[in-house]
Amino acid sequence: MDLAIVWESLPRLLEGTVLTLEITGLSLLAGFCLAVPVAMARLSPRRMLRVPAYGYMLYFRGTPLLVQLFLVYYGSGQFQPFLDQVGVWFLFREAYFCAVLTLTLNTAAYTAEILRGAMLAVPRGEVEAARSLGMSGLLLYRRIILPKAFRLSLPAYTNEAVFLLQATSLVSIITLLDLTGVARIIVAQSFEPYKLYVTAGLIYLVITYTFVLVSRRLERRLSAHLRGQPAGGIGNVVGR
Amino acid sequence: MMSLDLQGYGWMLWQGLERTIMVGLAAMGLAVAFGLLGAWGKFSPYRAARWFAGLYTTVVRGVPELILILLVYYGVPTLLQDLAAGTGHDLRIDLNPFMAGVITIGLIYGAFATEVFRGAFLAIPRGQIEAARAFGMGHVLVVRRVVLPQMWRFALPGLGNVWMVLIKATALISLIQLDELMRSADIAARATRLPFTFFFAASLLYLGISVVSMLVQGQIEAWADRGSRRG
């Protein structure tokens, strides 16, 4: 088999890989920051906070990412006059912005669900002890619940990061030249689909398992003082 | 509340919804079949079968669905054509998008179903299988009488999850020109120049499928768990 086309395209594919990693990293970071307040709102005793958080999580977890992406990228065009008036239309014109915005909103919903479960798993006794010491509200969250919940949610969060990495391949559909996007362009020019898609697939595979390996190490280190912690990996289905 | 005026394209979305559910059900059936096969492979005494099952779940879960769909739809026919050309034959293959979609989605979620069945099998107390063996039951009989009836119950929550993710993944098949819900919405959005309206309507239909699936899953689990003690 002639693999010249693969070697020739490798530099461009790696350039695409950089964009893939960049979009994944940005969305993960922003998504995590959004997920923490959303998860807290979801567990709030106040309906005003709980119901919107529930609705947001249900919508973004219950609909395909592709629809969300089109809704933001193409759908925003329907509100162009309004968005122009507010002065943000220049952002929605950019596929890059739409991609990161959608992926952020999407991963935040999944992450909030993971955090919700972890927050509920924080032992009651610890929360009660903190309350009896007079801690409440944000202080209780900051000192007791969140640190524990973050550690508990690490295995599931690793899965989420892996799924998000793979989900970023959809941004190629709204014209971005990520790893998948570059592969598709080269296929359109050379008509060598299987060689390029297999190569792109292998690159994703390497990134995925490198990441899983590293985060398992991290988990083991963080839970060294705890016995019988569940191991990480991409076993659970939390994809979109 | 904004009103959704679908400009007479509502029927198209409805047909798309039907197609989406059909693709989803067909792919789910295939995923269960691949899942059982994969789980059998993982516990097989044959090294080759174990290796192959491991490779299957590793590769499928590490590569994006979109790449796999493009690979099956565009890559496989070209590969076969190239191979045929290599041996001096002229071959022309056009995969039907419905088949390509069902096969790819089934193959992908078969890998997740494999893990679900593997976990379910491990959840069956070893003692029961040993007891059945001690009574002189053969392998097939043990699987039929002891393993499968319990495995289904353990596997149901996981399979429910697989279904929820799978039905959303069918939206990707729109990219290989199958007129399912997503593509119908896309066509309507282009024709009417109302992208938000149609993609939002489509998203509500997907949400409807998800919510109904959640409710049905709860019912099925309650039904399957009747007669089993909790805790």
Side-chain angles (χ1 to χ4, degrees), chain A residues 30-109:
Chain A
F32 190 83
C33 296
L34 180 60
V36 174
V38 169
M40 284 164 64
R42 174 75 180 79
L43 290 175
S44 165
R46 266 178 254 168
R47 271 180 78 94
M48 285 270 291
L49 292 172
R50 203 174 58 227
V51 173
Y54 180 79
Y56 163 71
M57 286 162 67
L58 183 71
Y59 184 81
F60 278 91
R61 292 170 66 235
T63 60
L65 176 64
L66 187 62
V67 180
Q68 297 162 15
L69 201 59
F70 279 19
L71 209 49
V72 172
Y73 185 62
Y74 296 116
S76 57
Q78 207 167 318
F79 303 106
Q80 187 184 345
F82 170 74
L83 292 170
D84 223 358
Q85 212 172 16
V86 190
V88 292
W89 172 245
F90 73 99
L91 287 174
F92 284 90
R93 226 172 34 195
E94 292 293 330
Y96 186 90
F97 173 80
C98 293
V100 173
L101 176 66
T102 314
L103 287 167
T104 298
L105 290 172
N106 184 280
T107 186

Side-chain angles (χ1 to χ4, degrees), chain A residues 108-152:
Chain A
Y110 285 92
T111 308
E113 178 66 17
I114 293 171
L115 288 177
R116 183 184 81 96
M119 286 175 186
L120 288 174
V122 173
R124 294 292 323 152
E126 292 182 22
V127 178
E128 281 160 17
R131 280 196 194 283
S132 71
L133 286 176
M135 276 188 221
S136 64
L138 291 179
L139 190 66
L140 177 68
Y141 263 105
R142 205 185 72 212
R143 285 214 188 134
I144 309 297
I145 300 179
L146 287 182
K148 187 104 186 182
F150 288 160
R151 204 166 47 210
L152 285 175

Side-chain angles (χ1 to χ4, degrees), chain B residues 209-225:
Chain B
I209 300 179
S210 294
V211 170
V212 170
S213 304
M214 263 158 59
L215 296 175
V216 171
Q217 191 189 353
Q219 294 277 314
I220 294 179
E221 274 170 34
W223 172 78
D225 269 352

Side-chain angles (χ1 to χ4, degrees), chain B residues 6 28 42 58 68 95 113 140 166 169-171 177 185 209 223:
Chain B
L6 296 179
M28 187 66 194
K42 290 224 160 178
T58 305
L68 291 172
L95 266 183
V140 177
L166 179 150
T170 58
Q177 324 295 324
I209 300 179
W223 172 78

